[in-house]
Amino acid sequence: MASVLGRLEERERAARRRFEKLQPELEAAQSEWDEWLIARRRLKEVWDCGETTGQEGEVR
């Protein structure tokens, strides 16, 4: 039974090392994704504002 527990612990350590290796890349991807979401939101705000105002900023 001890060998089974040893194998499980070994796999757990390997998974932890893999996670720690990938974590910085995942954080960078999350940050980039958040920036794109913000950019999309800002563009929508500008687009929606242009739809409701005239060229000189007057509400139609």
Side-chain angles (χ1 to χ4, degrees), residues 19-31:
F19 172 78
E20 289 172 352
K21 183 179 178 182
L22 291 173
Q23 191 171 11
E25 186 176 347
L26 291 171
E27 289 173 355
Q30 178 69 53
S31 179

Side-chain angles (χ1 to χ4, degrees), residues 11-58:
R11 287 178 182 233
E12 180 183 352
R13 283 191 299 271
R16 170 59 69 180
R17 283 191 302 269
R18 184 168 179 236
F19 172 78
E20 289 172 352
K21 183 179 178 182
L22 291 173
Q23 191 171 11
E25 186 176 347
L26 291 171
E27 289 173 355
Q30 178 69 53
S31 179
E32 184 178 351
W33 184 18
D34 290 344
E35 290 175 13
W36 282 110
L37 291 174
I38 291 167
R40 178 192 299 259
R41 197 174 307 131
R42 296 293 184 255
L43 181 59
K44 184 178 181 326
E45 288 173 6
V46 170
W47 188 266
D48 289 347
C49 182
E51 293 285 320
T52 59
T53 61
Q55 285 184 327
E56 300 184 18
E58 296 175 6

